[in-house]
Amino acid sequence: MQALVLAGGEGTRLRPLTYTTPKPVLPLAGRPFLSFMLDWAREHGVDEVILSCGFMSDDVRRVLGDIYHGMRLRYVVEDEPLGTAGPVRLAYDQGLLEERLLVLNGDVLTDVDLTEELAQHERTGARVTLALYAVEDTSSYGVVPTDADGRVEAFLEKSPDPPTNRINAGAYVVEGSVVGERIPAGRAVSFEREVFPALVGEGLYGFPAAGYWIDIGTPERYLEATWDLLAGHPRSSLPPRDETGSLVSEGCLVSGAHVGPQTVLGRNCSVGTDARVERSVLHDRVIVGADAAVVEAVLAERVRVGERARVEPAAVVGAGAVIGEGAVVGEGARLEPGVRVESGATVEPGARIKAAEGVR
Ligand code: GTP
């Protein structure tokens, strides 16, 4: 079975993390994100994956290589962003697609049963089958109602009073003929806005997906996915967590520090005496000084947090930023890579600090 993974978006909502690392290979629980998706696809019989890349494609390829646990990885790189459907047409025009393929959004952590979705696709004779996942809060998503037989009735934009809570989970079974006939070549095309709405009533089916599903496309959901993975959902091959439910990678120095609960330290991090790092994610080579506190925050690689400094919940700090001694990074603040916050300075809650600015 072949899968095409859409992995070419800029991931703007995950900035500043995606300024230096593209979303598909952003570390999640210490591993490149897509490795979880590749494990999932492999469990359902996928043996060849086409990675459809654009933004920072070289980094994706460098991290994942050409073989992953026996699966062949091929890369199709677009010069201009082609949206979600355009890249599938590009792979088709390059003669790479099989008769039937899976198309997967490259930012979902899930254990949805693709085998069952494929079986339903076969049974109904669908041209395209979409996994539809029921969420509690539909406010960030459009919804997709179906009839009793699973035929998609409409693609509805976000609305305050949606008729269903099933959203498009970004996992499609697509007949190759649809690609040639329904996706125009040579320009950006969206499945959600263009191709699927036009296929309603013409063989477009929904598959009621169950299990775990989250898209990691915002810092809030990236943290939520981290906590869920640490707690064992979805099931994964992560190393064992410590008694606080945290994952501390090799080469970290944490003696005398309070690390956890639900925290991930990347490789070669150092956390000083009596510093607290709770429910947070630190990428590789982050240094946190003595008596500092980092709570529910994400620090990209090589960030330095000075002694007694505080990084408050939902703050996201870009690679190589330096937070001076006793400084405070307020709730939900975003610091671009390389920002310097002087000792004792305060970054206001929700502030957006550009690399050139610095904070005094
Ligand atoms: P935001 O900028 O934060 O919206 O993120 P994004 O650029 O990733 O967009 P979105 O979350 O809507 O994309 C869903 C999936 O499609 C992700 O896996 C993206 O990598 C992928 N994607 C989005 N746009 C493109 C594109 O133009 N080309 C390719 N190859 N993939 C894309």
Side-chain angles (χ1 to χ4, degrees):
M1 187 73 208
Q2 187 182 46
L4 182 147
V5 177
L6 292 162
E10 281 196 49
T12 53
R13 289 166 299 161
L14 271 173
R15 288 176 180 166
L17 304 175
T18 45
Y19 280 127
T20 47
T21 308
K23 179 162 69 172
V25 293
L26 203 60
L28 182 71
R31 276 171 46 179
F33 169 68
L34 269 188
S35 68
F36 293 99
M37 286 197 63
L38 295 175
D39 287 346
W40 166 59
R42 201 166 68 105
E43 269 180 33
H44 292 284
V46 170
D47 54 10
E48 179 179 290
V49 175
I50 298 173
L51 288 157
S52 164
C53 298
F55 179 70
M56 296 179 88
S57 59
D58 290 348
D59 295 76
V60 178
R61 189 169 195 150
R62 186 173 42 76
V63 174
L64 295 175
D66 296 325
I67 301 272
Y68 179 86
H69 291 281
M71 275 193 300
R72 176 163 188 203
L73 307 185
R74 309 173 83 135
Y75 294 81
V76 174
V77 179
E78 59 215 52
D79 301 328
E80 296 292 327
L82 290 176
T84 48
V88 184
R89 177 66 201 233
L90 180 64
Y92 173 89
D93 288 338
Q94 293 183 3
L96 297 177
L97 300 190
E98 293 173 357
E99 294 284 288
R100 176 180 292 167
L101 75 154
L102 290 161
V103 177
L104 308 172
N105 275 5
D107 57 359
V108 294
L109 177 69
T110 181
D111 59 8
V112 161
D113 192 342
L114 292 173
T115 305
E116 195 43 50
E117 183 177 352
L118 280 158
Q120 180 192 305
H121 182 84
E122 188 80 49
R123 236 179 7 252
T124 57
R127 299 190 78 195
V128 174
T129 301
L130 319 174
L132 301 179
Y133 188 76
V135 294
E136 275 175 27
D137 177 9
T138 58
S139 60
S140 324
Y141 306 97
V143 298
V144 186
T146 59
D147 69 13
D149 295 323
R151 289 187 197 86
V152 169
E153 294 178 317
F155 261 73
L156 303 175
E157 296 290 326
K158 291 172 206 165
S159 98
D161 190 22
T164 169
N165 63 348
R166 289 208 172 263
I167 63 161
N168 170 8
Y172 321 131
V173 185
V174 179
E175 292 298 306
S177 60
V178 171
V179 180
E181 291 163 22
R182 298 300 191 117
I183 307 177
R187 67 167 172 91
V189 185
S190 159
F191 270 127
E192 302 83 344
R193 285 191 295 278
E194 205 172 331
V195 181
F196 294 154
L199 264 180
V200 169
E202 298 184 40
L204 184 65
Y205 281 72
F207 164 69
Y212 182 92
W213 183 91
I214 193 170
D215 88 79
I216 61 140
T218 67
E220 296 72 23
R221 291 203 293 269
Y222 171 81
L223 272 175
E224 200 180 324
T226 302
W227 298 329
D228 288 344
L229 268 176
L230 291 175
H233 314 292
R235 199 169 41 77
S236 72
S237 55
L238 285 184
R241 274 69 81 193
D242 69 14
E243 63 285 0
T244 76
S246 300
L247 205 53
V248 176
S249 306
E250 65 198 41
C252 290
L253 300 172
V254 295
S255 81
H258 307 282
V259 173
Q262 292 175 294
T263 289
V264 178
L265 301 192
R267 282 185 301 258
N268 302 321
C269 290
S270 147
V271 184
T273 311
D274 284 331
R276 281 192 303 129
V277 181
E278 295 177 2
R279 287 168 63 80
S280 292
V281 175
L282 277 50
H283 293 169
D284 294 348
R285 292 189 283 148
V286 170
I287 299 174
V288 177
D291 294 308
V294 178
V295 179
E296 295 187 12
V298 184
L299 310 184
E301 64 276 8
R302 292 176 287 99
V303 165
R304 280 188 283 150
V305 178
E307 293 185 8
R308 299 181 314 285
R310 283 201 333 262
V311 184
E312 309 221 303
V316 185
V317 182
V322 178
I323 298 159
E325 288 181 13
V328 177
V329 177
E331 201 163 326
R334 303 276 149 82
L335 274 52
E336 285 194 359
V339 159
R340 296 187 77 89
V341 179
E342 300 296 330
S343 298
T346 296
V347 178
E348 295 300 328
R352 302 282 180 271
I353 310 295
K354 296 202 179 308
E357 281 172 14
V359 180
R360 290 177 183 282

